[in-house]
Amino acid sequence: MKLASYKNGTRDGALHVVSRDLTRCVVVPDIARTLQGALDNWLEAAPRLQAIYAQLNTGHVSGELAFDPARCHSPLPRAYQWADGSAYLTHVELVRKARGAEVPESFYSDPLMYQGGSDAFLAPTAAIPLRDPAWGLDFEGEVAVVTGDVPLGAGIEQCGQAIRLLMLVNDVTLRNLIPNELAKGFGFFQSKPATSFSPVAVTPDELGDAWQDGKVHLPLLVDYNGTRFGQPNAGVEMQFSFPQLIAHVAKTRELSAGSIVGSGTVSNSDRKVGSCCLAEQRMIETIEQGAPVTPFMKLGDTVRIAMRDAAGASIFGAIEQKVTAHE
Amino acid sequence: MKLASYKNGTRDGALHVVSRDLTRCVVVPDIARTLQGALDNWLEAAPRLQAIYAQLNTGHVSGELAFDPARCHSPLPRAYQWADGSAYLTHVELVRKARGAEVPESFYSDPLMYQGGSDAFLAPTAAIPLRDPAWGLDFEGEVAVVTGDVPLGAGIEQCGQAIRLLMLVNDVTLRNLIPNELAKGFGFFQSKPATSFSPVAVTPDELGDAWQDGKVHLPLLVDYNGTRFGQPNAGVEMQFSFPQLIAHVAKTRELSAGSIVGSGTVSNSDRKVGSCCLAEQRMIETIEQGAPVTPFMKLGDTVRIAMRDAAGASIFGAIEQKVTAHE
């Protein structure tokens, strides 16, 4: 099924069930007022949401509306956890190669992951506020899962069973703040402003055969200023599956329902498919030409992130954002 | 005023107003069912909570109970943000000195901060589950604030005005997982399991004159296995005030109500006052004797973290935890 949270003046928005073709939706306050509420009580809520979803796909439901992504907040406008991996080692290899460093062998068996801020996400069509263009604003196209409760020490199979929903991500990054933060040794902080997610979150069964081994085997489509910038496949070179990434978190602490775990920037070694962030293009330029050519995002720039099924239909709706000055 | 969240089988517990002397409390569902609910709507909820608090301190309130810290969850059992600074540079200086490194000059003007997991905190008297004693379990005694909404780019004064509550913290750390994580460059992750907070959160006015310049000028009392281990003053050598730490977060993103911002391990340069974590004692041993002597926590070890006012009364109640094996 497909779920969205409409802006309604509250902090968490109003949970809506959305038709598979993203044309219609309906609010479901008798089941759960918010997506977090549904996730908190998933085993009871999910079958009831699924029943509404089935009705919506086969006919009409009382109170249904035309679905409008512009009215959507992030499926979880705020969440209790946003942990982002870096599972596409092509991306990591380029980062390292551009600065003349090797990828440590351990990176192929021990996932990279950082804890992101989760208290205030941007809506999927919200402007990206930029206080200082010198900070080097970049987009990062990713896939993420939303989990149920996961106990401390859970194994990979149990972690896989805890995957409730999938979303697309724009992990907005301030590249020029990263070197100083990495030098301090405490990881990313100011370099990771508010993240955005796709208008719609979907259960794994919506992906059909494209959901294999805990990975999404479809191209992630990233357009920059109206031109295709990248379309790497999110499944083929994902070094760590989502169940493995969740198990990385669960090694030393439990996860609560509604935790979001991200894939990291999707990246393929085939350079013909392009990139899901500007930094990667700049690294390729550095490797090939000695210096980056592509600038970071400017005021007025736009990014669009989406994914289509085998029949060409949008699965999650699109993240569509424009960079604007913050007064 | 003083607030606590009683365990009641729900994920967020039941908000209680607690008397100043920590002897009595009362549930306030007509004002807010949960602390997060009160924080989401603070300007309306706070005066009403304050009125109950005044009644509780001067007489009796219908429905009041004897206050029992063992029934408390963390004031926020789960939160949308837990961002922890490292504002006591004595601690940072010892870390560096023990490994023969200098403290970069920038550390005195640019706060260290990491993003912690906030989806599932431990209750103040909950056991600390340990899967592997070789991970090097340590406690870290800290102070933290809970904020209201803070806009992107807020200045220090505005950040100070957004401080709603204060709590004590046990920032549980797995020391032996840190070197590998720092080498990976993404910051702490598995090395920071679930954090614990004091039974009671208090408004800044409860500290009286001890709340000065956005710092808590009182000793933090840390007992390890029943013996006083440290009692450094949390105010005197805090390099960055809480408003400054909040402004560090707000530089590139807004904060939502209920965000927790921590001080880092409280530490004084006067070694006679002891330490708030085992690692610091081990660093002093390394500097003085060439190698650490004090081991990390073992199964069955206990830690107690509290703070007393000038008259000797407990302000926040005590964090009291025991290390237990996790099956």
Side-chain angles (χ1 to χ4, degrees):
Chain A
M1 64 184 157
K2 303 195 175 191
L3 302 171
S5 295
Y6 263 34
K7 299 173 199 166
N8 67 347
T10 70
R11 292 175 182 269
D12 297 300
L15 177 63
H16 282 61
V17 176
V18 184
S19 64
R20 179 167 290 132
D21 63 4
L22 305 182
T23 61
R24 293 168 300 126
C25 64
V26 65
V27 69
V28 285
D30 293 345
I31 303 174
R33 293 193 175 276
T34 67
L35 179 53
Q36 183 65 51
L39 289 160
D40 283 348
N41 192 26
W42 188 252
L43 295 186
E44 193 184 308
R48 298 179 61 197
L49 294 169
Q50 184 68 45
I52 300 283
Y53 182 64
Q55 287 175 44
L56 201 55
N57 286 331
T58 53
H60 288 280
V61 172
S62 166
E64 72 176 38
L65 301 167
F67 177 64
D68 180 2
R71 294 183 62 185
C72 288
H73 209 308
S74 168
L76 290 168
R78 54 181 179 174
Y80 293 104
Q81 175 156 237
W82 163 223
D84 197 13
S86 187
Y88 299 90
L89 290 192
T90 294
H91 178 78
V92 179
E93 287 159 1
L94 282 172
V95 174
R96 298 266 164 167
K97 195 167 176 185
R99 64 174 202 243
E102 294 289 309
V103 177
E105 190 58 35
S106 66
F107 279 26
Y108 295 88
S109 57
D110 180 27
L112 288 168
M113 188 170 281
Y114 80 92
Q115 193 83 43
S118 57
D119 59 312
F121 296 130
L122 296 177
T125 56
I128 302 173
L130 181 58
R131 293 185 63 210
D132 186 349
W135 289 345
L137 182 68
D138 198 358
F139 50 85
E140 285 193 7
E142 308 189 2
V143 183
V145 296
V146 181
T147 77
D149 294 311
V150 180
L152 172 63
I156 289 171
E157 188 179 338
Q158 189 174 12
C159 290
Q161 288 162 355
I163 294 173
R164 301 285 184 247
L165 298 166
L166 290 121
M167 306 185 290
L168 305 183
V169 187
N170 180 10
D171 182 38
V172 181
T173 300
L174 298 167
R175 297 286 176 195
N176 293 339
L177 300 187
I178 288 182
N180 179 49
E181 293 208 307
L182 292 192
K184 287 160 74 177
F186 270 41
F188 308 111
F189 198 94
Q190 292 177 329
S191 53
K192 293 289 185 180
T195 307
S196 319
F197 297 90
S198 50
V200 170
V202 312
T203 47
D205 59 292
E206 290 294 330
L207 296 172
D209 291 345
W211 177 245
Q212 291 284 346
D213 304 324
K215 305 176 187 180
V216 179
H217 292 265
L218 287 170
L220 185 67
L221 311 176
V222 177
D223 295 330
Y224 180 41
N225 290 332
T227 302
R228 178 62 41 86
F229 192 78
Q231 48 188 356
N233 188 294
V236 293
E237 287 171 292
M238 191 183 189
Q239 182 78 10
F240 305 102
S241 68
F242 282 110
Q244 286 176 297
L245 293 174
I246 298 166
H248 184 80
V249 185
K251 180 180 171 184
T252 63
R253 52 184 162 93
E254 64 180 62
L255 290 81
S256 283
S259 288
I260 305 170
V261 177
S263 68
T265 309
V266 177
S267 181
N268 289 172
S269 52
D270 177 4
R271 293 191 187 167
K272 288 196 299 296
V273 299
S275 296
C276 291
C277 66
L278 296 172
E280 202 169 291
Q281 178 61 28
R282 288 166 55 91
M283 292 177 236
I284 293 168
E285 291 162 356
T286 300
I287 293 163
E288 293 181 349
Q289 306 165 45
V293 176
T294 304
F296 289 120
M297 295 182 93
K298 307 174 298 297
L299 298 180
D301 278 2
T302 62
V303 61
R304 187 179 195 279
I305 300 172
M307 185 174 271
R308 296 186 179 279
D309 65 19
S314 177
I315 299 171
F316 301 91
I319 297 171
E320 295 199 81
Q321 298 186 276
K322 185 176 191 169
V323 181
T324 60
H326 180 81
E327 304 307 317
Chain B
M1 65 184 155
K2 302 194 175 190
L3 302 171
S5 295
Y6 263 34
K7 298 173 199 166
N8 67 346
T10 69
R11 291 175 182 269
D12 297 299
L15 177 63
H16 282 62
V17 176
V18 184
S19 64
R20 178 167 290 132
D21 64 4
L22 305 182
T23 61
R24 292 168 302 127
C25 65
V26 65
V27 69
V28 286
D30 293 345
I31 304 174
R33 293 193 175 274
T34 67
L35 179 53
Q36 183 65 51
L39 289 160
D40 282 347
N41 193 24
W42 188 251
L43 294 186
E44 193 185 307
R48 298 178 63 197
L49 295 169
Q50 184 67 46
I52 300 283
Y53 182 64
Q55 287 176 44
L56 201 56
N57 286 331
T58 54
H60 289 280
V61 172
S62 167
E64 71 175 40
L65 302 167
F67 177 64
D68 180 2
R71 294 184 61 187
C72 288
H73 208 307
S74 167
L76 290 168
R78 55 182 178 172
Y80 293 103
Q81 174 155 239
W82 162 223
D84 197 11
S86 187
Y88 299 90
L89 290 193
T90 294
H91 178 79
V92 179
E93 287 159 1
L94 283 170
V95 174
R96 298 268 164 163
K97 195 168 175 183
R99 63 173 203 243
E102 295 289 309
V103 177
E105 191 58 37
S106 66
F107 280 26
Y108 296 89
S109 57
D110 180 28
L112 289 167
M113 187 170 282
Y114 80 92
Q115 194 83 44
S118 57
D119 60 311
F121 297 130
L122 296 177
T125 57
I128 302 173
L130 182 58
R131 294 184 63 207
D132 186 348
W135 289 346
L137 182 66
D138 199 358
F139 51 85
E140 284 194 7
E142 308 188 4
V143 183
V145 296
V146 181
T147 77
D149 294 311
V150 180
L152 172 62
I156 290 171
E157 188 178 335
Q158 189 174 12
C159 290
Q161 288 162 355
I163 295 173
R164 301 285 185 247
L165 298 165
L166 290 121
M167 306 185 291
L168 305 182
V169 187
N170 180 11
D171 183 39
V172 180
T173 300
L174 298 166
R175 296 287 178 195
N176 294 339
L177 300 186
I178 288 182
N180 178 50
E181 292 208 309
L182 292 194
K184 287 160 73 178
F186 270 40
F188 308 113
F189 198 94
Q190 292 178 329
S191 53
K192 293 289 185 179
T195 307
S196 318
F197 296 90
S198 50
V200 171
V202 311
T203 47
D205 59 292
E206 290 294 329
L207 296 172
D209 291 345
W211 177 246
Q212 291 283 345
D213 303 324
K215 304 175 187 181
V216 179
H217 292 266
L218 287 169
L220 185 66
L221 311 175
V222 176
D223 296 331
Y224 180 41
N225 290 334
T227 302
R228 178 61 40 87
F229 192 78
Q231 49 188 356
N233 189 293
V236 294
E237 288 171 295
M238 190 182 189
Q239 182 77 11
F240 306 102
S241 69
F242 282 110
Q244 286 176 297
L245 293 174
I246 298 166
H248 184 79
V249 185
K251 181 181 172 183
T252 63
R253 53 184 161 95
E254 63 180 63
L255 292 82
S256 283
S259 288
I260 305 171
V261 178
S263 67
T265 310
V266 178
S267 181
N268 289 171
S269 51
D270 176 4
R271 293 190 187 169
K272 289 196 299 296
V273 299
S275 295
C276 291
C277 65
L278 295 171
E280 201 169 292
Q281 178 61 31
R282 288 166 55 91
M283 292 176 232
I284 293 167
E285 291 162 357
T286 300
I287 294 164
E288 293 180 349
Q289 306 164 43
V293 176
T294 303
F296 289 120
M297 295 181 91
K298 306 175 299 295
L299 297 180
D301 278 2
T302 63
V303 62
R304 186 179 195 280
I305 299 172
M307 185 175 271
R308 296 184 178 280
D309 65 19
S314 176
I315 299 171
F316 299 91
I319 296 171
E320 295 196 82
Q321 297 186 276
K322 185 177 191 168
V323 181
T324 60
H326 179 81
E327 305 306 318

